[in-house]
Amino acid sequence: MTTSAHPVYPHLFQPLDLGFTTLKNRVIMGSMHTGLEELPDGHHRMAAFYADRARGGVGLIVTGGIGPNEEGSTHPMTRRLDTDKAVANHKIVTDAVHAADGKICMQILHTGRYAYSEKLVAPSAIQAPINKFKPRELTPDEIEKQIEDFVFTATQAQKAGYDGVEIMGSEGYFLNQFIARRTNHRDDEWGGEYENRIRLPIEVVRRVREAVGEHFIIIYRLSMLDLVEGGSSYDEVVTLGKEIEKAGATIINTGIGWHEARIPTINTKVPRAAFTWVTAKFRDALSIPVVTSNRINMPDVAETVLARGDADLVSMARPFLADADFVIKAEQNRADEINTCIGCNQACLDHVFNGKLTSCLVNPRACHETELVITPASSKKHIAIVGAGPAGLAAAVTAAQRGHRVTLFDAAEEIGGQFNIAKQIPGKEEFYETLRYFKRQIELHDTITLKLGTRVDVDMLNSGGFDEVLLATGIKPRTPDIDGINHPKVMSYLDVLRDKKPVGQSVAIIGAGGIGFDTAEFLAHGKATPSQDISAFMKEWGIDMTLNARAGVEGMSPQPEPAARQIYLLQRKSSKVGAGLGKTTGWSHRAGLLMKGVKMIPGVTYDRIDDEGLHITVDGQSQCLPVDNVIICAGQEPLRELTVGLTVPYQLIGGADEALELDAKRAIDQGTRVVAAL
């Protein structure tokens, strides 16, 4: 294969000829449901969102999933492409993308037993463990109607100006449910033997191709690794892939893991490009272009994957929430300016599953392009920002983008604030990328003066000639009222994570919020940080990299490294420990620590701390945990000392405004919005 002339990423910027059309590079923006689809002005906002990414250089965009019918839609309010008005609305989106020199496919997503609706249907009446609704089993006539609805939706997409469709056949959705014995218990022509169970996806692709003609992209999302008991074997997936090719697919995309699988696949615990080895195994058996995905978030990672031959294209979804200009920055050798996806899920997937509009922790403008607009300031100000943590950094860069002059102070010798604590947690190394991004932005904006190692007082702010002061001074740890809280055994999480004070072999952590879990993760790993070791990750979660085990997991068991010390993770609340963590990631943080032997105890009353250890009462029973250290992770309080006597107009942002579990999502959003309105 000849490569392009791009000196750094030759494979990434190699065009791909599909016969009837050419993709300008090997980058696909993967499908994400954003919530824009359901808003009254949603299609205008979708047009702005996708056109920004097209202008940013993406080779091919795939939209969030559109249900082919009412029963297959994600929830009862999901918009479908079933009317002339809907086609006209989608034409707004496709016209905007084409005007920005982009190509766009619409994903057709039938959720089957995952639909959050009382009308949900499936091959068999088997309830999903992640859904409160039980599906109804389809009759053969109703299955025929489902095929017709796929075909109709594809032809509607063609009318709306889409360059193609992606047919979702993975992640445990409807078509995947027919394929797997786990969910298909039928004994008719749509069930039983594997050749019957794969009839439906093959028929959908064949009939869609028949209806749309040859010059229309059909991507089929093939589940290559189900990661659930009763999923498909390697040979079965190869068989299906070959049949999908014959049926008329243009491209095969890679699906990893069902939504109900208890193995993390896309959050920050997962190593970069952790699953491209799966695609590589199947690519050899297939003849049409194959896409790989999951935790590919920088151009050098994507280039390595392509150069190694793991895939023909790379799909990235959330990285385009983080930075619309990802591709063009890579093309111009400005990768150090990319605002990198950190795999946190906090503002994207957590929002979607909580019924909120998608955005991005590191880029609050994502999906808010028409509402959060950064425009040149009509009146240029000199702004003092005290604190170079997430809120202060976001405010400083946004202010400079608007033309304001900024002096950014921090008492520490490096930018980052609490991010410098978070980046040390195994599995959270991506925070280094966020700090690299902000550091580069400060370098690029000569209107920002950075003053590190500088303690600010009120007199400096009052006499400094500032028009406005933003106090992003952060937080201080809260000290709970426990008898013996000043005992030498007691440490704060800052003693452990920031100051690296020695910790004993047995510890009790008071407080099981995000900081408590992070501290437990740090202490459980000891000095080793294997979070980017792919084979270690697969071993820890029980995934067979030879693919001899059906679905990658049957007969396998997790083999985590034991914790470096005995850890008790305690909370006053009687609810499950970790219940307040992120909706889509919390379970994996909890499961990972439990596998390492961390003991989690809810409903704790803290009696006292003394030479014996931590004395607690649980369920009316008193006991002593004979620990070497007690680590306090009991929340934070805002630092607001600089407000007293300040005569310059000021605002509090970030933790100084509200000290909620070091909430970087809120801090960056607030820092951006406050300055956008100045």
Side-chain angles (χ1 to χ4, degrees):
M1 183 178 86
T2 58
T3 56
S4 73
H6 194 281
V8 183
Y9 311 112
H11 297 83
L12 197 61
F13 290 101
Q14 173 73 12
L16 180 63
D17 184 358
L18 298 176
F20 57 90
T21 190
T22 298
L23 304 184
K24 61 187 174 186
N25 55 48
R26 301 306 178 97
V27 182
I28 291 180
M29 175 178 167
S31 174
M32 294 174 286
H33 192 81
T34 63
L36 293 172
E37 298 86 351
E38 279 72 58
L39 296 181
D41 61 343
H43 289 92
H44 291 284
R45 291 182 64 169
M46 283 169 66
F49 172 70
Y50 287 123
D52 263 9
R53 277 76 194 161
R55 270 188 298 274
V58 177
L60 177 64
I61 292 168
V62 182
T63 71
I66 301 294
N69 48 39
E70 185 180 10
E71 61 271 24
S73 297
T74 310
H75 55 78
M77 299 302 293
T78 303
R79 297 279 178 90
R80 299 191 302 281
L81 194 52
D82 53 357
T83 64
D84 290 345
K85 174 65 173 169
V87 168
N89 283 337
H90 278 261
K91 192 87 166 53
I92 296 168
V93 178
T94 59
D95 284 350
V97 169
H98 292 148
D101 191 32
K103 295 184 189 298
I104 184 166
C105 290
M106 190 191 83
Q107 187 187 77
I108 305 175
L109 171 65
H110 192 311
T111 49
R113 72 176 192 156
Y114 285 163
Y116 204 73
S117 159
E118 293 180 345
K119 296 184 178 180
L120 73 173
V121 296
S124 302
I126 304 167
Q127 188 171 349
I130 57 173
N131 197 350
K132 71 177 184 178
F133 298 110
K134 184 176 181 178
R136 179 177 61 78
E137 181 174 314
L138 288 163
T139 66
D141 285 347
E142 289 171 329
I143 292 172
E144 174 60 32
K145 180 185 177 295
Q146 302 299 314
I147 298 171
E148 291 170 359
D149 290 343
F150 270 97
V151 174
F152 173 71
T153 305
T155 57
Q156 291 283 91
Q158 194 171 33
K159 286 181 192 172
Y162 284 101
D163 298 286
V165 292
E166 177 174 79
I167 295 169
M168 176 49 116
S170 68
E171 266 78 1
Y173 287 117
F174 182 67
L175 296 179
N176 210 171
Q177 290 160 24
F178 268 83
I179 294 162
R181 283 196 186 277
R182 177 185 181 86
T183 41
N184 185 344
H185 293 186
R186 304 175 72 95
D187 57 7
D188 62 2
E189 68 270 31
W190 302 102
E193 293 303 313
Y194 187 67
E195 63 186 286
N196 284 350
R197 301 201 308 274
I198 62 175
R199 279 187 64 205
L200 183 58
I202 295 166
E203 193 65 9
V204 166
V205 173
R206 187 185 69 77
R207 300 255 291 268
V208 167
R209 174 55 75 202
E210 206 172 68
V212 298
E214 292 180 12
H215 296 171
F216 193 68
I217 298 169
I218 298 178
I219 306 169
Y220 182 80
R221 184 82 172 260
L222 178 70
S223 185
M224 294 187 186
L225 192 67
D226 289 335
L227 299 179
V228 291
E229 301 283 331
S232 297
S233 70
Y234 169 76
D235 289 339
E236 288 172 344
V237 177
V238 169
T239 298
L240 175 56
K242 289 180 173 179
E243 291 299 322
I244 292 295
E245 279 187 7
K246 287 183 203 168
T250 318
I251 295 169
I252 286 183
N253 199 354
T254 300
I256 300 289
W258 287 31
H259 283 308
E260 63 204 70
R262 304 312 284 170
I263 295 171
T265 56
I266 61 170
N267 72 27
T268 194
K269 286 177 77 77
V270 181
R272 290 181 173 187
F275 292 98
T276 67
W277 58 271
V278 179
T279 310
K281 286 181 185 287
F282 287 99
R283 184 182 180 230
D284 289 341
L286 302 170
S287 57
I288 59 175
V290 174
V291 186
T292 196
S293 64
N294 289 48
R295 286 284 288 128
I296 299 166
N297 64 348
M298 285 297 279
D300 60 323
V301 180
E303 176 67 22
T304 299
V305 166
L306 294 171
R308 178 164 80 205
D310 289 1
D312 300 285
L313 299 121
V314 167
S315 174
M316 295 176 273
R318 296 167 303 159
F320 291 107
L321 290 174
D323 197 327
D325 292 328
F326 180 106
V327 176
I328 203 164
K329 287 178 180 178
E331 194 168 20
Q332 295 172 356
N333 292 335
R334 296 189 292 128
D336 60 348
E337 296 177 34
I338 291 173
N339 196 2
T340 305
C341 168
I342 60 174
C344 68
N345 290 5
Q346 290 181 35
C348 50
L349 288 173
D350 283 357
H351 276 208
V352 167
F353 284 97
N354 284 309
K356 297 178 184 176
L357 189 64
T358 291
S359 190
C360 178
L361 181 146
V362 300
N363 176 25
R365 287 200 68 238
C367 296
H368 296 270
E369 287 79 9
T370 60
E371 166 249 332
L372 179 52
V373 183
I374 310 301
T375 55
S378 55
S379 171
K380 305 290 174 34
K381 296 182 176 182
H382 187 188
I383 303 169
I385 301 176
V386 185
L393 290 168
V397 171
T398 306
Q401 288 169 345
R402 297 197 63 211
H404 295 301
R405 191 154 58 95
V406 177
T407 303
L408 176 60
F409 299 96
D410 202 288
E413 296 295 338
E414 60 180 342
I415 65 167
Q418 298 292 330
F419 266 32
N420 290 313
I421 294 169
K423 73 187 183 185
Q424 302 171 62
I425 309 303
K428 289 194 172 181
E429 295 89 348
E430 296 290 6
F431 282 79
Y432 279 99
E433 298 287 3
T434 307
L435 295 176
R436 179 265 311 148
Y437 166 76
F438 278 121
K439 182 173 183 287
R440 184 66 180 132
Q441 291 301 310
I442 291 169
E443 291 168 355
L444 289 170
H445 290 94
D446 58 11
T447 54
I448 300 176
T449 301
L450 179 62
K451 294 194 173 184
L452 296 174
T454 305
R455 288 206 168 271
V456 177
D457 59 32
V458 172
D459 288 341
M460 286 172 62
L461 296 175
N462 285 338
S463 62
F466 301 113
D467 302 303
E468 190 99 23
V469 173
L470 298 180
L471 297 175
T473 42
I475 55 86
K476 60 182 178 182
R478 181 182 293 124
T479 303
D481 184 16
I482 301 171
D483 187 18
I485 195 68
N486 294 317
H487 192 279
K489 286 180 182 286
V490 178
M491 310 171 75
S492 80
Y493 66 88
L494 291 178
D495 293 329
V496 177
L497 300 175
R498 183 189 65 193
D499 301 335
K500 303 296 185 294
K501 292 185 179 177
V503 179
Q505 284 302 298
S506 177
V507 299
I509 298 173
I510 291 179
I515 297 166
F517 267 81
D518 279 356
T519 304
E521 194 81 56
F522 180 83
L523 292 172
H525 278 80
K527 292 181 181 177
T529 312
S531 66
Q532 293 302 314
D533 184 331
I534 293 172
S535 57
F537 175 86
M538 299 301 158
K539 181 182 176 186
E540 177 181 359
W541 291 93
I543 300 171
D544 173 23
M545 293 186 75
T546 69
L547 292 186
N548 288 322
R550 177 175 285 275
V553 294
E554 283 200 9
M556 303 291 291
S557 57
Q559 297 180 52
E561 292 292 325
R565 46 176 58 82
Q566 173 64 65
I567 300 170
Y568 300 92
L569 188 53
L570 315 172
Q571 69 178 29
R572 291 185 192 272
K573 288 186 285 192
S574 57
S575 54
K576 182 170 75 174
V577 175
L581 299 178
K583 190 176 181 73
T584 63
T585 59
W587 67 269
S588 68
H589 296 305
R590 187 172 187 274
L593 289 176
L594 286 172
M595 288 194 301
K596 287 182 174 296
V598 173
K599 296 190 183 329
M600 301 184 187
I601 308 175
V604 175
T605 299
Y606 305 109
D607 300 325
R608 68 184 184 280
I609 303 163
D610 59 22
D611 290 346
E612 288 183 65
L614 175 61
H615 297 262
I616 61 174
T617 300
V618 183
D619 294 331
Q621 301 293 313
S622 296
Q623 57 179 294
C624 176
L625 303 178
V627 293
D628 300 317
N629 291 108
V630 178
I631 301 169
I632 308 300
C633 302
Q636 305 82 33
E637 296 169 352
L639 280 169
R640 296 176 178 169
E641 284 83 351
L642 291 175
T643 59
V644 179
L646 191 57
T647 56
V648 182
Y650 74 87
Q651 296 186 63
L652 295 161
I653 59 173
D657 177 43
E658 194 175 350
L660 280 177
E661 276 296 337
L662 306 186
D663 189 347
K665 179 183 74 171
R666 186 182 56 78
I668 292 175
D669 182 76
Q670 186 182 30
T672 304
R673 287 179 182 274
V674 162
V675 174
L678 280 179

